[in-house]
Amino acid sequence: MEQEYSVQLTFREQWMDERLKFNDFHGKLKYLTLTEANRVWMPDLFFSNEKEGHTHNIIMPNVYIRIFPYGSVLYSIRISLTLSCPMNLKLYPLDRQICSLRMASYGWTTDDLVFLWKDGDPVQVVKNLHLPRFTLEKFLTDYCNSKTNTGEYSCLKVDLLFKREFSYYLIQIYIPCCMLVIVSWVSFWLDQGAVPARVSLGVTTLLTMATQTSGINASLPPVSYTKAIDVWTGVCLTFVFGALLEFALVNYASRSDMHRENMKKQRRQVELEHAQSLDGASDMIDTDSNATFAMVRNRSLHNHIDANNPSPLLQKPLVRGPGDSMRLEKAHCEVHMQPRPNCCRSWLSKFPTRSKRIDVISRITFPLVFALFNVIYWSTYLFREEAEES
């Protein structure tokens, strides 16, 4: 949250001061030990990225000074520091952070004082080092001399490369968010008339997702750029909100379907009443004219048969004319020119109402889109993490 880290270290530095040479009596005195640091000259070293720090004085001050016969001075002290560590959280929580420990001379320029790393292994890390959410992958030693208006000053630095442990965030953030998104899809399988159940499910998942997002952001510094966790929580929140909007659309479509069905029933009722009135009028007309119409029809049919053909069966030709073959070919072509049935349309035709179709389409669309988002999300950020590591 504060972009800082705390460290407890044993700091040692060694230098030559020829004024402190003494007789070792043929190797009988290996070194002299002092407990007061102000009795000898010391480099004016300070930690340039320190926020606060203190030495340890329990039970005795954790400091000693050893003076060797040839004038070498070894200074050792145990201190605790809180150091600033500016972080780049664009890949959080799939990120790696580099935190530095900088040591520089405050008043002496490089003309008088130069800091050098000890040959071999200048930095040792305890074997049982354990951090709750990070793993110390490696550390690098380097020089960071700085030039100012008053001169050039010697500087040493240690870069500590931390990798964030992802398993904690997978269990605490990613899996619960996935579960909330999947729970919001349950409303697609509920009946359209179960309004209280679908509304309460959508609102509950939306509020839970919003609480989860605010809890995540509360433990992070307010940065101006978008983090990887922001993309994840934002898309999950969008899916949950989309499920709630889908029910609003289903409810509107259901009421529209009911209104349309009522209008159809009314139209059928009017058509039925109109047909019944027409049938009553036609029955009255047919009763008066049936006899006359039958006599006229029989007489005309008899005259027609006698004048043209000896038998009524000869009226239908046995051989097709050219016009008939053209009509058959046209009908044949029309049959083959009909469009093929669409699978999606034939499947959706099983659901007569628009509201039911919206639910069925949502059952398939939401999981597919969420799965596609997961593929894009993990491939993008994992590849970026590997690129930064290389």
Side-chain angles (χ1 to χ4, degrees), residues 284-386:
M284 295 177 63
I285 297 173
D286 289 344
T287 304
D288 296 335
S289 60
N290 263 343
T292 306
F293 178 75
M295 292 175 62
V296 174
R297 183 176 182 274
N298 291 334
R299 185 180 302 170
S300 62
L301 180 61
H302 184 267
N303 294 333
H304 179 72
I305 293 174
D306 290 343
N308 297 318
N309 296 307
S311 174
L313 295 175
L314 297 178
Q315 293 179 358
K316 184 181 292 187
L318 296 176
V319 181
R320 297 193 184 102
D324 296 335
S325 61
M326 290 296 292
R327 285 193 296 269
L328 289 174
E329 290 178 1
K330 184 178 180 180
H332 181 73
C333 292
E334 287 179 355
V335 170
H336 283 276
M337 290 298 290
Q338 288 180 357
R340 295 182 180 180
N342 194 341
C343 298
C344 295
R345 290 182 179 178
S346 61
W347 177 68
L348 288 175
S349 63
K350 298 179 181 179
F351 309 101
T353 60
R354 289 188 302 171
S355 56
K356 190 65 177 176
R357 292 178 184 177
I358 294 173
D359 270 342
V360 172
I361 293 174
S362 299
R363 294 173 191 173
I364 301 173
T365 305
F366 273 72
L368 287 179
V369 175
F370 189 68
L372 179 62
F373 161 71
N374 274 270
V375 172
I376 297 174
Y377 179 87
W378 294 112
S379 60
T380 300
Y381 284 102
L382 289 179
F383 287 155
R384 288 179 62 182
E385 182 188 13
E386 293 178 359

Side-chain angles (χ1 to χ4, degrees), residues 129-145:
L129 179 66
H130 177 72
L131 300 174
R133 297 186 186 180
F134 287 92
T135 300
L136 180 60
E137 289 190 331
K138 59 182 178 179
F139 54 88
L140 303 172
T141 58
D142 200 357
Y143 296 90
C144 55
N145 293 359

Side-chain angles (χ1 to χ4, degrees), residues 261-278:
E261 191 66 25
N262 292 333
M263 293 297 293
K264 286 183 179 181
K265 288 181 180 179
Q266 293 178 3
R267 191 179 300 111
R268 289 173 186 172
Q269 186 68 24
V270 171
E271 291 177 354
L272 182 60
E273 292 176 356
H274 183 66
Q276 288 177 355
S277 63
L278 290 178

Side-chain angles (χ1 to χ4, degrees), residues 148-201:
T148 65
N149 294 332
T150 57
E152 182 179 0
Y153 298 89
S154 182
C155 176
L156 303 175
K157 72 172 182 176
V158 183
D159 289 332
L160 306 172
L161 179 59
F162 294 101
K163 180 182 179 182
R164 200 181 300 271
E165 288 292 341
F166 180 69
S167 58
Y168 169 82
Y169 300 93
L170 180 65
I171 297 173
Q172 297 294 327
I173 296 176
Y174 285 92
I175 292 179
C177 289
C178 282
M179 294 173 65
L180 286 174
V181 172
I182 295 173
V183 167
S184 67
W185 299 343
V186 175
S187 63
F188 304 154
W189 300 87
L190 297 179
D191 187 69
Q192 302 167 10
V195 177
R198 297 187 68 163
V199 170
S200 60
L201 181 63

